[in-house]
Amino acid sequence: MAFHPVRFPLDVALGARGGPERRTDVVTLASGREQRNGRWQHSRRRYNAGYGVKSRADMQAVLAFFEERRGRLHGFLWRDGLDFSSGGAVPDALDQVIGAGDGSRTAFQLSKRYGAAFDPYLRPITRPVSGSVKVAVAGVELGSGWAVDVTTGVVTFAAAPDDGAEVTAGFLFDVPVRFDTDRLDVELTSFDGAEAPAIPLVEILP
């Protein structure tokens, strides 16, 4: 298996449905009270791209993409139309806190924070869009002296940020996914129409 750094057809992806999934064990005690345990540290996203297929051309593009990925074998990039940025449509270097300097640390993982101060979730971002990442240290955006690996989302500095200096970043990102089926069930609804009831995709966690 391999990972192909190519994006699923965007026109189809924008009409898809899906979102994050978690795995929670819920045990009901004899008293009627519950005990709950979250089994996953990170959420995992699932999508159904079938809702985005609107024409014969869409279906042909998906079919070619599916065959090239060999079904479930190879991963690829997916653009989540609802959640693809560190902040607004245009990333800002102050969007997300990704760490604090200690005078020796040079590598920082891109991440996105969900929620407020009560119990926020920090999602690792492993597939930032090339050329979209902006980085700041202590509130000052840096034009050089750092690099980002677009296959891991790790930002590396040439010189370690000072002790206590807040490191922030802004970025666009894709979701690494794979097909969750080895079969496409396609229906031709008209001369120029096609429908695929289900094209399931599942996120590949790091």
Side-chain angles (χ1 to χ4, degrees), residues 87-175:
V90 178
D92 185 276
L94 303 180
D95 281 346
Q96 299 289 328
V97 176
I98 61 172
D102 60 9
S104 61
R105 180 183 175 190
T106 58
F108 296 81
Q109 175 69 53
L110 290 178
S111 61
K112 183 173 180 179
R113 176 183 172 129
Y114 296 80
F118 181 71
D119 189 18
Y121 167 57
L122 294 180
R123 174 188 179 187
I125 301 300
T126 61
R127 299 288 171 169
V129 176
S130 179
S132 73
V133 181
K134 300 178 180 179
V135 173
V137 174
V140 179
E141 184 174 352
L142 303 181
S144 61
W146 62 274
V148 61
D149 187 336
V150 295
T151 65
T152 63
V154 174
V155 175
T156 304
F157 291 90
D162 292 339
D163 187 25
E166 188 174 71
V167 181
T168 58
F171 44 83
L172 302 177
F173 63 93
D174 291 310
V175 183

Side-chain angles (χ1 to χ4, degrees), residues 3-206:
F3 189 88
H4 297 172
V6 293
R7 188 178 292 140
F8 186 88
L10 190 57
D11 289 347
V12 179
L14 291 177
R17 295 183 184 179
E21 172 191 29
R22 287 193 172 271
R23 184 65 55 84
T24 306
D25 290 331
V26 180
V27 177
T28 303
L29 305 179
S31 64
R33 295 178 178 175
E34 292 182 344
Q35 288 187 344
R36 296 180 296 278
N37 178 56
R39 296 175 61 185
W40 292 355
Q41 179 183 3
H42 297 292
S43 57
R44 190 182 196 190
R45 281 151 178 78
R46 289 184 177 274
Y47 304 96
N48 185 349
Y51 292 101
V53 175
K54 305 300 182 186
S55 68
R56 189 186 189 98
D58 287 345
M59 194 63 253
Q60 288 173 331
V62 171
L63 179 62
F65 195 90
F66 178 87
E67 291 283 35
E68 191 173 8
R69 308 288 87 74
R70 309 298 195 274
R72 294 186 295 176
L73 186 59
H74 301 306
F76 53 93
L77 299 173
W78 171 266
R79 171 57 55 89
D80 186 325
L82 179 65
D83 190 6
F84 62 90
S85 172
S86 57
V90 178
D92 185 276
L94 303 180
D95 281 346
Q96 299 289 328
V97 176
I98 61 172
D102 60 9
S104 61
R105 180 183 175 190
T106 58
F108 296 81
Q109 175 69 53
L110 290 178
S111 61
K112 183 173 180 179
R113 176 183 172 129
Y114 296 80
F118 181 71
D119 189 18
Y121 167 57
L122 294 180
R123 174 188 179 187
I125 301 300
T126 61
R127 299 288 171 169
V129 176
S130 179
S132 73
V133 181
K134 300 178 180 179
V135 173
V137 174
V140 179
E141 184 174 352
L142 303 181
S144 61
W146 62 274
V148 61
D149 187 336
V150 295
T151 65
T152 63
V154 174
V155 175
T156 304
F157 291 90
D162 292 339
D163 187 25
E166 188 174 71
V167 181
T168 58
F171 44 83
L172 302 177
F173 63 93
D174 291 310
V175 183
V177 301
R178 63 168 173 80
F179 287 104
D180 200 23
T181 182
D182 280 322
R183 177 189 178 207
L184 286 185
D185 190 10
V186 181
E187 177 184 356
L188 296 179
T189 56
S190 66
F191 175 75
D192 192 39
E195 182 177 303
I199 306 176
L201 311 172
V202 61
E203 182 177 6
I204 301 171
L205 294 179

